[in-house]
Amino acid sequence: MGSHVSLIGALLLMVFLGLSLSASEAARPYCRFDGKLVVSNLVKELSAAGNYSTLLAALKKTDLDDDLPALFNCYEATLFAPTDAAFEELSSDARSAIKDAKVLREVVLLHVVQKKMTAADLAALPQGKQLKAAAGGCKARLVKVSPRGAQPVEVEAMDGPQGASLVAPDVISLRVVQVHGVDDVILPKSLQKGDGDSLKPGKCLAWRA
């Protein structure tokens, strides 16, 4: 009798654990990618493209090359990659502000949105569509995408009027990440005014649970 009870108890425990695991998997159904491999391939492709060395240096300086794998484990994404020329055209105030690694991290993450989209997908979006960016610490910032017919798609921070146009659509296409080259660095309004302190960098990626 005692062995019967123990067996039934063990079976019930196994069922409970199985249901708990299923519920956990259902809550995070997209955690199926190898984030480290995604970032490794992304860095290789950006290096091969030859026009994104400043962005690559920013990823290294801000430790995002180490942190992004955790994000890409669970999410597909689009990267709006500023060209080297885009960084060179920043104002002296903005350049000074992004020397701070925390501020630079926020700016870089403002170029990553939580959905993989080709240039055709972007062009099909409604005017002024808002997308969740990885910037903003624990509170997500939004990026606005503005298709304009035959004109280049523009992306911009929701709290700033300055936008960047796609100049190299679909320059890199990976399983998890779609990359578009853009002609400007997307900055929040605080940095456009040259006031880097008001950006208030966060300490965590917006997409983490």
Side-chain angles (χ1 to χ4, degrees):
M1 178 70 176
S3 61
H4 248 354
V5 172
S6 298
L7 179 60
I8 292 172
L11 289 172
L12 287 173
L13 178 61
M14 289 172 67
V15 170
F16 173 77
L17 290 175
L19 288 174
S20 298
L21 179 60
S22 298
S24 175
E25 289 176 344
R28 302 195 71 178
Y30 301 113
C31 297
R32 62 184 186 276
F33 307 123
D34 184 342
K36 288 185 178 180
L37 181 61
V38 172
V39 173
S40 175
N41 289 338
L42 177 60
V43 168
K44 288 178 182 177
E45 293 290 339
L46 286 171
S47 298
N51 198 22
Y52 302 96
S53 59
T54 308
L55 176 61
L56 286 168
L59 291 175
K60 192 71 176 175
K61 180 178 180 178
T62 57
D63 293 326
L64 282 171
D65 54 342
D66 291 328
D67 291 345
L68 282 177
L71 184 151
F72 289 138
N73 281 336
C74 300
Y75 298 97
E76 295 182 345
T78 299
L79 168 64
F80 298 107
T83 62
D84 290 336
F87 278 100
E88 290 172 4
E89 292 173 3
L90 285 174
S91 68
S92 58
D93 285 341
R95 287 191 189 193
S96 178
I98 64 174
K99 287 180 180 179
D100 183 315
K102 291 182 179 179
V103 174
L104 178 60
R105 177 187 177 91
E106 294 288 325
V107 170
V108 172
L109 287 175
L110 196 57
H111 294 73
V112 183
V113 299
Q114 186 183 336
K115 189 174 183 179
K116 183 182 178 185
M117 292 173 290
T118 65
D121 295 330
L122 292 170
L125 291 174
Q127 184 77 14
K129 174 69 175 178
Q130 297 179 14
L131 301 171
K132 182 180 179 182
C138 298
K139 182 179 180 181
R141 290 179 180 274
L142 296 176
V143 169
K144 182 170 71 174
V145 178
S146 301
R148 299 186 302 169
Q151 300 299 316
V153 172
E154 288 201 346
V155 290
E156 62 190 64
M158 284 302 296
D159 62 352
Q162 162 261 18
S165 297
L166 269 64
V167 291
D170 301 318
V171 65
I172 298 171
S173 183
L174 301 175
R175 168 66 183 86
V176 180
V177 185
Q178 194 76 10
V179 181
H180 309 287
V182 293
D183 65 354
D184 209 339
V185 180
I186 305 169
L187 298 174
K189 186 162 51 179
S190 57
L191 287 191
Q192 291 172 41
K193 290 180 177 179
D195 181 10
D197 292 336
S198 63
L199 185 55
K200 297 180 181 177
K203 295 183 179 179
C204 67
L205 295 175
W207 300 354
R208 286 182 179 168

